[in-house]
Amino acid sequence: MRILVTGGAGFIGSHVVDAYVGAGHEVLVLDDLSTGRPGQVHPRAEFCQADLRAAPLDDLFRRFRPEVVNQHAALVEVRRSVAAPALDAERNVMTLLRVLEACVRHGVARVVFASSGGAIYGEGCALPTPETATPAPVSPYGASKLIGEHYLRVFHRLHGLPYLALRYANVYGPRQDPAGEAGVVAIFTDRLLAGRSPVINGDGEQTRDYLALAPEAVGPVNIGTGQETSVNELYRQLCAVVGQQTPAVHGPPKAGEQRRSALDASRAQAWLGWRPATSLAEGLRQSVEAFRRGRPWPGPE
Ligand SMILES: NC(=O)c1ccc[n+]([C@@H]2O[C@H](COP(=O)([O-])OP(=O)(O)OC[C@H]3O[C@@H](n4cnc5c(N)ncnc54)[C@H](O)[C@@H]3O)[C@@H](O)[C@H]2O)c1
């Protein structure tokens, strides 16, 4: 199959590309390298450096003729979205719309969209949260992911374009950038290995569902472990793996971040046959090992 992966030079997208190439698919990566790295793009994938806001999508689609489009490109910064919601919408909503329009014009068979189970549900949903819960995001980033899902549903209805919206939990693992704001495991590990104290935003009792990384189904699917882990507990486990007991500093809580999060992934098992394969302890061990190997980041094998 020919698969276009936007954001395929980034943390999650590059692992997705590796899996597609490993399964024998032909892959085109489109990435502007705003946070992605060229060394993470699988050598057997074609690479096009372009910004989705201006990329010549018709030329690319005409030439590569993708059958599946996997949209991972996004500005993944909750706090920046709070400070600049219009920028977030330009980067996360308008880019998806441009891609969806091109998919319709060029007869793409399926779209896979990286949504966020950690950001769209907001406060007050049952935990672990099923896809049937009513989402009420508390940040512009979460709102733009939810709007993206609405557009997918509308495009499916209007144009028959099938889609899956993968609502990822808080993903961590090798290649995650500690300079970003999203990856608490990467940020903590980077600081701990440098012998510095990380800052825990707020009291650290906020919880997350930490997820280590060609069906017919259409709609949203939670991708998570169902395990609720507080940031304090995560930090304790990480210290044990690193072999240090550096005390963390607590800073003020951050606007736009929800308090509790854990995803019910039973639909992923029923629809996709997917279930989490990596425990938190094992995932943290692999992440710390990757950090210890140091930069350049581990690229495709
Ligand atoms: N990391 C998480 O915990 C998490 C959780 C839920 C959902 N997601 C979603 O998964 C996807 C990937 O996230 P990630 O953590 O790998 O982040 P990332 O920043 O590593 O990946 C995003 C990639 O998109 C590229 N990109 C950004 N804007 C672009 C544009 N306008 N045109 C072309 N390329 C562009 C970046 O260069 C980068 O390579 C995102 O859509 C994100 O919202 C991530």
Side-chain angles (χ1 to χ4, degrees):
M1 225 183 277
R2 285 184 306 281
I3 307 176
L4 167 64
V5 182
T6 72
F11 160 48
I12 302 175
S14 64
H15 287 287
V16 170
V17 170
D18 290 359
Y20 281 148
V21 172
H25 298 297
E26 212 178 310
V27 179
L28 169 64
V29 169
L30 191 161
D31 198 299
D32 68 353
L33 300 182
S34 50
T35 56
R37 299 184 192 87
Q40 290 178 173
V41 178
H42 197 288
R44 278 188 276 131
E46 191 185 330
F47 177 54
C48 169
Q49 182 175 354
D51 184 334
L52 274 176
R53 289 172 291 184
L57 290 182
D58 282 325
D59 292 349
L60 280 168
F61 276 61
R62 221 173 278 124
R63 186 179 58 72
F64 183 69
R65 292 180 291 111
E67 294 153 273
V68 172
V69 171
N70 191 311
Q71 172 86 351
H72 270 72
L75 178 65
V76 195
E77 293 194 42
V78 173
R79 278 165 240 156
R80 200 149 157 216
S81 82
V82 171
L87 173 73
D88 173 84
E90 280 163 23
R91 298 278 302 265
N92 292 344
V93 181
M94 296 311 290
T95 50
L96 176 67
L97 276 173
R98 287 199 79 217
V99 168
L100 292 181
E101 286 183 3
C103 287
V104 170
R105 280 197 297 272
H106 296 272
V108 166
R110 175 167 286 266
V111 175
V112 179
F113 174 58
S115 182
S116 173
I120 68 165
Y121 290 117
E123 313 288 1
C125 291
L127 293 175
T129 310
E131 294 86 350
T132 47
T134 305
V138 294
S139 67
Y141 168 76
S144 45
K145 287 291 178 191
L146 183 56
I147 290 166
E149 288 197 19
H150 283 304
Y151 277 117
L152 286 161
R153 190 175 40 74
V154 168
F155 271 66
H156 179 238
R157 195 183 160 90
L158 289 178
H159 307 290
L161 178 64
Y163 73 95
L164 271 181
L166 300 179
R167 293 179 176 172
Y168 291 133
N170 289 72
V171 186
Y172 66 93
R175 302 184 198 163
Q176 189 165 38
D177 190 350
E181 69 160 52
V184 74
V185 171
I187 294 167
F188 287 180
T189 307
D190 195 46
R191 302 282 191 291
L192 280 173
L193 291 180
R196 287 160 46 207
S197 291
V199 176
I200 294 178
N201 300 323
D203 64 7
E205 286 306 306
Q206 65 271 39
T207 61
R208 300 290 180 262
D209 180 345
Y210 295 100
L211 167 79
L213 282 184
E216 293 307 307
V218 168
V221 183
N222 285 337
I223 302 289
T225 68
Q227 298 285 321
E228 194 184 357
T229 307
S230 74
V231 174
N232 286 335
E233 172 59 21
L234 177 84
Y235 185 61
R236 269 191 294 277
Q237 292 201 28
L238 199 51
C239 282
V241 176
V242 172
Q244 281 186 33
Q245 288 309 322
T246 316
V249 175
H250 282 265
K254 297 287 180 185
E257 289 194 350
Q258 67 186 59
R259 180 78 179 163
R260 296 179 67 188
S261 177
L263 304 179
D264 174 351
S266 34
R267 182 181 285 181
Q269 170 136 32
W271 285 16
L272 311 174
W274 181 90
R275 70 167 84 170
T278 307
S279 67
L280 183 60
E282 174 57 18
L284 292 180
R285 195 192 60 72
Q286 289 182 18
S287 300
V288 170
E289 205 176 280
F291 265 79
R292 283 208 161 110
R293 283 200 300 270
R295 296 163 202 257
W297 296 86
E301 306 284 307

